[in-house]
């Protein structure tokens, strides 16, 4: 599964694996793919440094990258406290009432809630980059589109390629104009923040829009047959995220979440603003239903919603409150029905890819010539 882009980056397979787990990043790169560490949860720079040190020690010299969530436009002088002050009391009360309805325990006195979804605030992302650029990362990806111009220039000065996610051909063209090296065409089926256009339609549209820039296909991909389909649509690789959530190397803090992922079908996700204020595909739960209920107050815009629900989600996850327990995940969750190692996932992807290519060759009358 080699393409011009995978050869350029020195990887065996054109499979880019996005994950919040350092052990999965290293395993993806060791298996011949390209591991990309999601940085949004690293609000403390020393924590990111610790995990990048670990990846460096365990990646066997193979390339890897970093994914940040960074707005293209800077907002001066806005602190997290300023943003917190914008949250209406009625929304805070709705959170309290919903947690009380499901008898979710409070955190222990003095206990700090888990990671807060503030990684899209520019200064947080810049602090992450101050750390990351001291490491030999080969790719910087941004989930909110094109990073600021100075960040793109700084990456290029260090020989780091820059990728940006796009949900439409229009967005993709803007990325190309901003000097981005790789466009990730993320379809409607994808987990997390995603747009309205399905991968089968989006991928060739983006390929045509930014030619000759390389495009990675994302959304609904979890088999070798789907990888072959993406490459046949013009992509130079695939960007996989959800499929790694149930691998044995994943440091998922909640076994309840893992159980729900393994049991879920492809129809058990929903695009909801409950997590961050922007539409994000995730497991459908009674928590997402509560925020999508017309009788409720509705969600707040990003980043207010993420700050509003951060502590609540930490409590739900810590105490494994089953009806409310969820996670961002794509529609490919229907294929994630067993725990496998990263290497086993790669073995399945490569076998499926070979079978798909052989099938197309037979259809085209190009059977085995040996």
């Amino acid at each position: 599964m080699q393409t011009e882009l995978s050869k350029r980056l020195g990887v065996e397979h054109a499979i880019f694996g996005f994950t919040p787990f350092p052990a999965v990043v290293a395993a993806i790169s060791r298996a011949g793919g390209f591991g990309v560490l999601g940085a949004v949860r690293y609000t403390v720079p020393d924590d990111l440094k610790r995990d990048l040190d670990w990846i460096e020690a365990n990646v066997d010299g193979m390339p890897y990258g970093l994914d940040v969530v960074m707005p293209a436009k800077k907002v001066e002088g806005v602190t997290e406290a300023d943003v917190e002050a914008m949250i209406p009391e009625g929304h805070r009360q709705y959170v309290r009432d919903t947690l009380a309805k499901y008898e979710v325990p409070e955190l222990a006195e003095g206990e700090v809630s888990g990671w807060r979804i503030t990684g899209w605030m520019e200064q947080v992302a810049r602090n992450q980059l101050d750390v990351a650029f001291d490491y030999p990362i080969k790719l910087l990806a941004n989930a909110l589109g094109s990073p600021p111009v100075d960040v793109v220039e700084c990456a290029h000065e260090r020989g780091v390629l820059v990728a940006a996610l796009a949900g439409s051909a229009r967005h993709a063209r803007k990325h190309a104009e901003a000097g981005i090296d790789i466009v990730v065409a993320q379809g409607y089926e994808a987990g997390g923040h995603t747009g309205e256009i399905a991968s089968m339609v989006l991928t060739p549209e983006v390929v045509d829009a930014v030619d000759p820039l390389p495009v990675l296909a994302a959304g609904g991909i979890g088999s070798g047959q789907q990888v072959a389909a993406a490459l046949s649509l013009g992509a130079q690789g695939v960007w996989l995220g959800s499929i790694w959530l149930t691998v044995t190397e994943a440091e998922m803090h909640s076994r309840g979440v893992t159980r729900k992922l393994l049991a879920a079908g492809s129809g058990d996700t929903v695009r909801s603003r409950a997590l961050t204020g922007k539409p994000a595909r995730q497991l459908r739960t009674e928590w997402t239903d509560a925020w999508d209920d017309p009788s409720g107050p509705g969600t707040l815009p990003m980043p207010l919603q993420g700050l509003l629900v951060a502590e609540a989600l930490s409590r739900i996850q810590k105490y494994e409150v089953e009806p409310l327990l969820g996670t961002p995940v794509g529609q490919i969750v229907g294929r994630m029905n067993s725990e496998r190692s990263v290497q086993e996932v790669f073995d399945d992807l490569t076998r499926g890819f070979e079978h798909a290519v052989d099938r197309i060759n037979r259809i085209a009358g190009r059977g085995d010539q040996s």
Side-chain angles (χ1 to χ4, degrees):
M1 288 187 283
Q2 280 205 332
T3 65
E4 182 180 338
L5 179 60
S6 66
K7 292 175 183 176
R8 181 179 179 184
L9 287 167
V11 296
E12 183 180 358
H13 303 300
I15 296 173
F16 293 72
F18 163 79
T19 173
F21 306 122
V24 179
V25 171
I28 290 169
S29 291
R30 289 197 308 268
F34 190 101
V36 181
L37 179 67
V40 69
R41 67 192 177 101
Y42 291 99
T43 55
V44 178
D46 283 348
D47 290 345
L48 178 59
K49 183 179 186 303
R50 176 201 63 216
D51 284 353
L52 288 175
D53 282 339
W54 189 92
I55 290 172
E56 269 293 296
N58 289 275
V59 80
D60 292 351
M62 302 305 294
Y64 62 94
L66 189 78
D67 177 277
V68 297
V69 182
M70 191 174 198
K73 295 181 180 179
K74 186 173 184 177
V75 179
E76 298 283 357
V78 177
T79 66
E80 185 176 326
D82 295 330
V83 177
E84 286 267 14
M86 300 177 190
I87 298 173
E89 177 57 30
H91 282 74
R92 295 188 187 279
Q93 187 60 49
Y94 188 70
V95 170
R96 290 192 288 267
D97 291 345
T98 303
L99 295 177
K101 175 181 177 181
Y102 291 92
E103 301 182 340
V104 182
E106 298 274 357
L107 295 175
E109 184 176 352
E111 183 177 358
V112 178
S113 64
W115 68 276
R116 295 172 66 78
I117 311 171
T118 57
W120 54 75
M121 298 179 71
E122 180 172 353
Q123 191 53 53
V124 175
R126 285 189 179 274
N127 291 342
Q128 294 165 350
L129 293 177
D130 286 343
V131 172
F133 281 146
D134 287 335
Y135 291 80
I137 62 172
K138 299 300 182 185
L139 176 70
L140 172 66
N142 188 32
L144 281 186
S146 305
V149 173
D150 67 297
V151 172
V152 176
E153 292 174 346
C154 188
H156 286 166
E157 288 169 2
R158 290 164 170 77
V160 177
L161 297 181
V162 181
L165 275 66
S168 72
R170 179 174 60 86
H171 292 156
R173 281 189 288 267
K174 288 184 176 180
H175 297 340
E177 292 166 1
I180 299 301
D181 304 292
I182 302 166
V183 176
V184 181
Q186 180 170 277
Y188 171 84
E189 307 94 327
H193 295 133
T194 187
E196 301 278 357
I197 306 172
S199 299
M200 182 65 73
V201 174
L202 179 66
T203 301
E205 284 188 352
V206 172
V207 168
D208 290 343
V210 301
D211 183 60
L213 286 184
V215 172
L216 300 177
I221 302 172
S223 72
Q225 291 88 342
Q226 291 166 318
V227 175
L231 299 187
S232 72
L233 293 173
Q236 287 202 30
V238 294
W239 178 273
L240 309 184
S242 298
I243 199 73
W244 314 112
L245 290 174
T246 53
V247 296
T248 54
E249 293 91 343
E251 300 123 17
M252 189 69 77
H253 298 301
S254 168
R255 288 300 302 174
V257 169
T258 300
R259 287 193 298 271
K260 291 186 81 169
L261 288 170
L262 294 173
S266 57
D268 292 328
T269 69
V270 62
R271 281 175 78 247
S272 170
R273 297 178 185 267
L275 183 62
T276 69
K278 287 186 67 175
R281 186 170 298 284
Q282 54 204 282
L283 283 178
R284 182 175 181 177
T285 67
E286 294 185 33
W287 177 259
T288 63
D289 286 348
W291 284 103
D292 293 335
D293 188 336
S295 67
T299 56
L300 296 170
M302 178 187 271
L304 301 182
Q305 182 71 15
L307 292 171
L308 170 66
V309 303
E311 181 178 324
L313 295 179
S314 293
R315 289 166 58 185
I316 291 166
Q317 291 171 5
K318 177 178 179 178
Y319 298 109
E320 305 231 337
V321 183
E322 192 78 11
L324 306 180
L325 200 57
T327 186
V329 69
Q331 291 180 329
I332 198 63
V333 69
R335 294 186 63 93
M336 296 158 49
N337 48 26
S338 66
E339 292 185 78
R340 300 175 292 168
S341 69
V342 167
Q343 186 60 61
E344 286 174 318
V345 172
F346 265 83
D347 291 344
D348 181 61
L349 291 171
T350 53
R351 281 194 300 266
F353 179 82
E354 290 170 356
H355 291 160
V357 172
D358 287 345
R359 184 183 304 119
I360 294 300
N361 281 336
R362 289 195 300 272
I363 292 170
R366 296 190 298 268
D368 186 356
Q369 302 299 313
S370 61

